[in-house]
């Protein structure tokens, strides 16, 4: 058997050179993850003093109030000198760093801490040992005592800094000029601040609401395009005039008496139409038919004075409309759509 002391010699003799490990500042030397007689677990290494006081937070506060503390000083030069870094470390490296803990394995069943010596019980030392067990009280009460806020390092109550001011004597910080929180003279300022904040908040809400409404509001050209006035004096009898309203073609037909009679004679069979509507329901004035010039099938523009019924014919798929714009034959599902109209006088009509 080769002892562990002869292993370095074998490594040196080997052709392959192993990189030499050096302890950097506040960094572990090795990642010891195996059990051995010379590699103690991290919880057993004496990097820090394992001396703590276990008590409730209220008891710690009482200790802070009753402990004998160093004399009060009023100048930073009179402060008691302290060692740099953690006062609980046992050797002078790893100041102000957290990586100085050695990365080593922990045993599955760690050693039970001795609370009588002030040893800290936390983590695996609590859950994998019976250090928490107290037969005189419920288990949940015993376990609650090992919460982290119940532990303070030994000497904390005596040495914890408790400054009453960060300004040395003679420095003007206007501390005496400040009113207490509940003082009556502070209320006007609080009222003013609340009112000012409310005014600013309401103004922001108003601005946002106005901007939102104005953003969604249609532009003036859209309003202008939504209302169109048409002069009817230029149209001849039987003519189908085409104008533009809201970007869509509109048919305005001045019907002859024959067209009106031909459209009204079919009112008796209107119940059999695909979209039943009488001639009077589609024409406010019998002489004028005003409807959209878009086929209700797939949006083509019908041709006037064509088809089996003389009104309109869609050449795309063969829909036939009569002189009232009602669908009579073909795939179109509905009549030509009517639009809002208003006759301003005998010769002017407003669309929209």
């Amino acid at each position: 058997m080769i002892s562990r002391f002869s292993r370095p010699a074998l490594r040196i003799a080997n052709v392959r050179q192993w990189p030499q490990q050096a302890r950097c500042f506040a960094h572990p030397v090795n990642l010891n993850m195996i059990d051995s007689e010379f590699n103690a677990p991290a919880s057993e290494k004496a990097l820090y003093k394992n001396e703590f006081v276990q008590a409730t937070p209220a008891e710690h506060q009482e200790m802070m109030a009753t402990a004998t503390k160093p004399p009060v000083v009023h100048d930073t030069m009179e402060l008691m000198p302290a060692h740099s870094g953690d006062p609980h470390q046992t050797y002078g490296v790893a100041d102000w760093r957290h990586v100085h803990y050695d990365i080593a394995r922990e045993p599955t069943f760690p050693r039970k801490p001795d609370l009588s010596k002030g040893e800290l019980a936390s983590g695996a030392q609590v859950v994998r040992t019976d250090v928490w067990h107290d037969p005189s009280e419920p288990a949940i009460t015993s376990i609650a005592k090992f919460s982290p806020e119940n532990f303070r390092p030994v000497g904390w109550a005596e040495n914890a800094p408790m400054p009453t001011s960060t300004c040395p004597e003679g420095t003007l910080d206007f501390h005496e000029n400040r009113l207490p929180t509940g003082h009556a003279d502070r209320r006007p300022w609080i009222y003013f601040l609340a009112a000012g904040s409310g005014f600013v908040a309401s103004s922001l809400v108003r601005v946002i609401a106005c901007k939102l409404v104005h953003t969604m509001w249609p532009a003036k050209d859209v309003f202008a395009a939504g209302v169109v006035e048409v002069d009817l004096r230029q149209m001849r009898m039987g003519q189908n005039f085409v104008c533009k309203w809201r970007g869509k073609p509109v048919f305005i037909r001045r019907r002859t008496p024959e067209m009106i009679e031909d459209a009204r004679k079919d009112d008796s069979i209107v119940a059999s139409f695909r979209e039943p509507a009488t001639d009077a329901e589609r024409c406010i004035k019998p002489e004028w038919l005003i409807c959209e010039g878009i086929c209700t099938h797939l949006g083509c523009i019908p041709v006037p004075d064509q088809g089996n019924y003389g009104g309109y014919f869609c050449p795309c798929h063969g829909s036939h409309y009569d002189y009232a714009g009602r669908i009579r034959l073909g795939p179109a599902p509905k009549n030509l759509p009517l639009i809002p109209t208003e006759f301003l006088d005998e010769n002017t009509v407003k669309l929209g």
Side-chain angles (χ1 to χ4, degrees):
M1 174 179 286
I2 301 176
S3 65
R4 59 186 177 89
F5 298 101
S6 61
R7 291 174 187 169
L10 292 178
R11 293 178 185 174
I12 296 174
N14 198 342
V15 175
R16 179 182 178 181
Q17 294 295 331
W18 291 80
Q20 184 179 3
Q21 291 182 329
R23 174 185 272 281
C24 300
F25 177 74
H27 194 277
V29 176
N30 293 309
L31 305 179
N32 299 316
M33 303 303 293
I34 60 174
D35 293 334
S36 64
E37 68 276 8
F38 61 92
N39 177 32
S43 59
E44 300 296 334
K45 289 190 176 183
L47 292 179
Y48 290 87
K49 294 181 180 179
N50 194 10
E51 297 178 1
F52 289 82
V53 177
Q54 183 181 12
T56 63
E59 292 173 344
H60 282 300
Q61 291 294 333
E62 185 179 354
M63 294 179 189
M64 292 285 292
T66 58
T68 302
K69 301 180 181 299
V72 178
V73 297
H74 300 282
D75 191 351
T76 55
M77 298 300 295
E78 300 177 3
L79 291 175
M80 181 180 297
H83 297 287
S84 63
D86 193 335
H88 290 273
Q89 69 181 10
T90 57
Y91 64 102
V93 297
D95 295 343
W96 312 106
R97 297 290 295 273
H98 67 280
V99 293
H100 51 268
Y101 290 97
D102 275 6
I103 303 176
R105 91 285 183 276
E106 286 290 348
T108 304
F109 298 100
R111 180 181 62 84
K112 179 180 177 179
D114 189 354
L115 299 182
S116 62
K117 296 181 180 180
E119 293 183 353
L120 177 65
S122 62
Q125 295 174 330
V126 175
V127 299
R128 295 180 183 177
T129 65
D130 60 348
V131 67
W132 57 269
H133 181 63
D134 188 351
S136 63
E137 60 185 3
I140 188 64
T141 304
S142 300
I143 294 176
K145 293 180 179 179
F146 292 88
S147 181
E149 66 268 13
N150 293 332
F151 290 89
R152 296 289 186 274
V154 171
W156 171 265
E158 293 79 7
N159 299 298
M162 299 179 63
T164 58
S165 176
T166 57
C167 296
E169 190 71 23
T171 301
L172 297 178
D173 60 349
F174 303 98
H175 182 75
E176 286 76 11
N177 298 340
R178 299 172 185 171
L179 296 175
T181 304
H183 199 279
D185 291 342
R186 292 175 60 95
R187 294 179 182 176
W189 164 248
I190 296 176
Y191 295 155
F192 172 76
L193 188 62
S197 302
F199 175 77
V200 172
S202 59
S203 300
L204 291 176
V205 171
R206 175 186 174 277
V207 169
I208 294 174
C210 292
K211 289 293 184 181
L212 181 62
V213 171
H214 292 165
T215 301
M216 301 177 64
W217 199 263
K220 292 184 178 180
D221 57 345
V222 176
F223 276 114
V227 179
V228 176
E229 294 183 4
V230 181
D231 186 5
L232 304 177
R233 291 175 296 180
Q234 56 184 340
M235 300 182 191
R236 301 184 304 270
M237 293 297 297
Q239 181 184 1
N240 184 80
F241 179 75
V242 182
C243 67
K244 187 177 180 180
W245 175 74
R246 293 185 180 178
K248 297 180 290 186
V250 175
F251 291 161
I252 303 178
R253 179 187 286 273
R254 188 172 187 179
R255 302 190 300 178
T256 63
E258 292 79 10
M259 292 178 180
I260 298 173
E261 181 181 359
D262 190 27
R264 288 186 174 181
K265 72 178 182 180
D266 293 334
D267 286 351
S268 58
I269 59 173
V270 73
S272 63
F273 289 178
R274 193 166 298 170
E275 185 179 6
T278 63
D279 183 75
E281 292 173 350
R282 293 185 57 80
C283 300
I284 299 176
K285 288 187 176 183
E287 185 180 1
W288 299 98
L289 169 65
I290 304 175
C291 62
E292 290 185 11
I294 300 177
C295 180
T296 57
H297 180 218
L298 292 178
C300 299
I301 299 179
V303 179
D305 301 320
Q306 299 294 329
N308 296 347
Y309 297 88
Y312 302 94
F313 173 73
C314 181
C316 297
H317 302 93
S319 296
H320 299 256
Y321 300 88
D322 60 9
Y323 288 116
R326 298 173 293 192
I327 181 63
R328 303 296 296 274
L329 185 65
K334 294 183 179 182
N335 304 330
L336 293 178
L338 300 177
I339 64 174
T341 58
E342 179 184 356
F343 284 90
L344 303 180
D345 51 40
E346 291 296 329
N347 299 316
T348 306
V349 63
K350 183 176 72 172
L351 308 181

